[in-house]
Amino acid sequence: MKIAVTFENGNIFQHFGHTEQFKIYTSENGKLVSMEVVGTNGSGHGALAGLLKTLNVDVLICGGIGGGAKNALAQAGIQIYGGVKGNADAAVAAFIAGSLNYNPDTECNHHGEGHHHGEGHSCHSHNCGEHNCH
């Protein structure tokens, strides 16, 4: 199984569509066998789902994620565990152990045109820095 985590400085990056790196973990028989950090090359939102599909990812662990990205990932057959904070390695260990604390209802809603992120961005169930989060 391949598990991707939105990644920044060892932690789970809190906005899927803006992540610049994923940490990809490969698990076999309940044990981690490899991990690597992969850059997104500036891909955003929908393109990130395609990148994860190309990497044969089965599961995504992330902070906030928008509805469009959730749909694209679902169409790619990738399971989403959103609303997760903290250390990426610890989250993956908890996932493998079956004890990951996540929020299946986590979703970022973007208001306005062109996916402009700044004023008017509302994230539910996570903290994504300068954005207004609930």
Side-chain angles (χ1 to χ4, degrees):
M1 167 185 293
K2 281 198 173 182
I3 304 161
V5 178
T6 52
F7 188 72
E8 182 178 61
N9 298 323
N11 291 315
I12 298 166
F13 186 70
Q14 291 300 301
H15 194 302
F16 173 80
H18 285 249
T19 194
E20 294 182 10
Q21 296 179 321
F22 288 105
K23 191 164 185 181
I24 309 294
Y25 301 79
T26 302
S27 168
E28 293 177 5
N29 301 318
K31 297 188 188 293
L32 284 178
V33 295
S34 70
M35 60 185 90
E36 67 176 319
V37 176
V38 176
T40 63
N41 297 319
S43 299
H45 296 90
L48 292 174
L51 172 65
L52 293 177
K53 183 174 176 137
T54 300
L55 294 170
N56 297 313
V57 166
D58 302 295
V59 170
L60 169 69
I61 297 173
C62 63
I65 185 165
K70 278 183 162 181
N71 290 338
L73 289 162
Q75 288 177 355
I78 298 170
Q79 296 176 9
I80 304 163
Y81 294 83
V84 182
K85 297 179 182 177
N87 182 274
D89 293 350
V92 170
F95 173 79
I96 291 171
S99 61
L100 180 65
N101 184 13
Y102 71 100
N103 181 348
D105 298 322
T106 295
E107 187 166 309
C108 284
N109 294 313
H110 305 283
H111 304 283
E113 298 298 318
H115 286 99
H116 175 72
H117 296 79
E119 292 301 317
H121 175 138
S122 174
C123 299
H124 302 281
S125 303
H126 76 280
N127 177 8
C128 55
E130 73 274 4
H131 302 301
N132 178 20
C133 300
H134 306 285

